[in-house]
Amino acid sequence: MTDLKTIEQQLQPRISVAPMMDWTTKDYRFFARLFNPNIILYTEMVTTGAIIHGDAKRHLDFNQQEQPVVLQLGGSNPKDLATCSKMAQDWGYNEVNLNVGCPSDRVQNNKIGACLMAEPDLVAECIGEMRNAVDIPVTVKHRIGIDDMQSYEEMLHFVDTVAKTGCNNFIVHARIALLQGLSPKENREVPPLRYEDVYRLKQERPELLIEINGGIKTYAETVEHLKHVDGVMIGREAYHNPYLLAELGQLWNLEAPDRFEIMQQMMPYIAQRMAEGAPLSIISRHILGLFQNLPGARKWRQALSGGNAKTLKDVENALFNIQEAIKRTEDYLLEQQTQNL
């Protein structure tokens, strides 16, 4: 495993892709890494029970090309979280994160996610046990509040309680979560964003590493947030428009990769996964947004979605068609510019 100090130096500022259930799979993470070597990638949330009592290999395996990658855990039993954190370190993860932000009924019933904000002492106990079990960083992802606990002061109390364990990295989703009456989807959209609360947290606790999450969609927005906090976590936009990750390379003066070059690197991976028995559809669904906002993007999505693509040749044909669509548009624009001279 790469030296952690070296990794931390490379990853300033901290820009990450949020853990998203069913989306940030190892196939997506391999694809996302091709856009930017410095973005921090997260697994989907994995519960401690799934790792301890289920198929640990299926939940923990990842490609080394994904690094740096963080395992996000869901749970509230300190001993189980410590066990899984140690497994994460042994498996080669660079960091482990505790989910204190997911608002779904399913995780609430198992005392996982955002409901834990109401129990800062328990979260502190969990983080303390996790930190004692490993040498890699242990971080927390949480909301600015839940239900009747919506004040800045209550969030600050939560952070201060957890920070006493020595944890110094908090990823803050700048919306409260309403655990009764709103679906997980609505909890990502309905409560208003309160970025100022996250900025204030960094101002009042400058010794902590504070990252902001929620509704961030562009390079310009990311740069603006970085004036106030240490890092930015991007969610669904990084999935639907993955080329944003390449644009964010400007933060490190990286040259943006060509989309077609990315697919040239992706094709051997797809072939390997299909040889292992993975259906093309579970891989291709992650690359539908590659040509977002470009000519032919809709036909690209149509060609690969809904089981339309069944072989690598189908993917190659879709690539050829969108390349032609882009070329026709470029030729047309050049012709118009020439006529206007």
Side-chain angles (χ1 to χ4, degrees):
M1 184 166 51
T2 307
D3 178 76
L4 286 175
K5 288 186 177 179
T6 302
I7 292 172
E8 290 170 357
Q9 290 170 356
Q10 291 172 341
L11 304 182
Q12 299 302 325
R14 284 178 62 98
I15 308 296
S16 59
V17 176
M20 294 176 280
M21 294 299 292
D22 298 323
W23 287 13
T24 51
T25 67
K26 66 179 183 180
D27 294 325
Y28 169 76
R29 297 194 305 267
F30 184 93
F31 177 57
R33 177 57 67 217
L34 300 176
F35 293 88
N36 190 318
N38 293 340
I39 298 289
I40 300 169
L41 300 175
Y42 279 69
T43 67
E44 306 166 88
M45 182 191 72
V46 185
T47 65
T48 54
I51 294 173
I52 295 172
H53 305 296
D55 186 344
K57 179 177 173 60
R58 181 172 72 86
H59 291 297
L60 295 178
D61 267 1
F62 64 94
N63 299 284
Q64 284 302 317
Q65 295 94 320
E66 297 172 30
Q67 294 279 24
V69 61
V70 182
L71 174 68
Q72 187 185 62
L73 291 173
S76 56
N77 181 296
K79 298 298 182 185
D80 288 350
L81 284 163
T83 296
C84 292
S85 297
K86 181 63 166 62
M87 292 175 70
Q89 176 172 284
D90 293 344
W91 224 274
Y93 285 93
N94 291 120
E95 188 173 308
V96 63
N97 175 268
L98 180 62
N99 184 320
V100 190
C102 182
S104 80
D105 292 339
R106 181 165 58 90
V107 298
Q108 285 183 60
N109 292 336
N110 291 299
K111 209 170 185 181
I112 298 171
C115 63
L116 289 173
M117 287 204 70
E119 301 188 56
D121 290 331
L122 174 58
V123 174
E125 183 182 357
C126 291
I127 293 297
E129 291 285 348
M130 293 165 72
R131 282 175 49 81
N132 288 336
V134 298
D135 300 316
I136 59 176
V138 175
T139 64
V140 181
K141 184 175 187 294
H142 63 92
R143 294 279 185 143
I144 57 171
I146 57 170
D147 296 336
D148 296 330
M149 299 174 56
Q150 298 188 17
S151 71
Y152 170 80
E153 289 72 23
E154 287 166 308
M155 177 186 70
L156 183 63
H157 172 68
F158 171 85
V159 170
D160 283 345
T161 302
V162 176
K164 289 177 182 177
T165 67
C167 176
N168 69 346
N169 189 347
F170 295 81
I171 301 99
V172 189
H173 187 150
R175 282 189 175 96
I176 63 166
L178 297 175
L179 304 181
Q180 305 296 326
L182 289 185
S183 69
K185 181 178 185 296
E186 290 170 327
N187 265 303
R188 293 192 298 270
E189 300 169 352
V190 174
L193 287 159
R194 286 165 33 190
Y195 293 139
E196 64 277 5
D197 282 17
V198 188
Y199 297 166
R200 181 180 172 186
L201 178 63
K202 178 59 186 176
Q203 290 172 348
E204 296 186 2
R205 297 294 183 269
E207 73 280 6
L208 299 179
L209 198 159
I210 304 297
E211 302 174 51
I212 196 167
N213 170 233
I216 302 163
K217 296 183 177 181
T218 68
Y219 171 78
E221 290 171 0
T222 301
V223 170
E224 184 60 33
H225 285 302
L226 288 173
K227 296 176 182 177
H228 306 279
V229 293
D230 302 296
V232 173
M233 175 178 277
I234 299 174
R236 277 154 175 73
E237 189 67 17
Y239 189 88
H240 294 306
N241 178 25
Y243 202 73
L244 171 61
L245 303 179
E247 295 170 354
L248 290 167
Q250 297 172 72
L251 295 169
W252 299 275
N253 296 315
L254 299 176
E255 184 176 343
D258 178 81
R259 288 175 172 86
F260 292 98
E261 291 176 357
I262 286 173
M263 278 308 300
Q264 287 174 4
Q265 297 176 69
M266 191 67 185
M267 292 298 278
Y269 175 82
I270 296 174
Q272 176 189 332
R273 290 283 286 126
M274 292 178 69
E276 295 169 352
L280 177 58
S281 59
I282 74 165
I283 308 164
S284 61
R285 69 188 178 98
H286 298 301
I287 64 177
L288 298 181
L290 176 59
F291 296 99
Q292 185 85 341
N293 303 320
L294 293 183
R298 183 179 179 184
K299 288 187 176 180
W300 165 260
R301 293 192 298 269
Q302 290 173 339
L304 297 184
S305 62
N308 291 332
K310 295 180 173 60
T311 67
L312 283 176
K313 187 65 177 176
D314 293 332
V315 180
E316 290 171 355
N317 288 339
L319 270 175
F320 175 80
N321 290 336
I322 194 167
Q323 198 164 23
E324 289 298 300
I326 292 171
K327 185 177 184 301
R328 285 195 297 271
T329 302
E330 289 173 345
D331 288 347
Y332 172 78
L333 292 174
L334 181 61
E335 181 181 342
Q336 292 298 305
Q337 290 171 0
T338 302
Q339 290 176 357
N340 292 332
L341 289 178

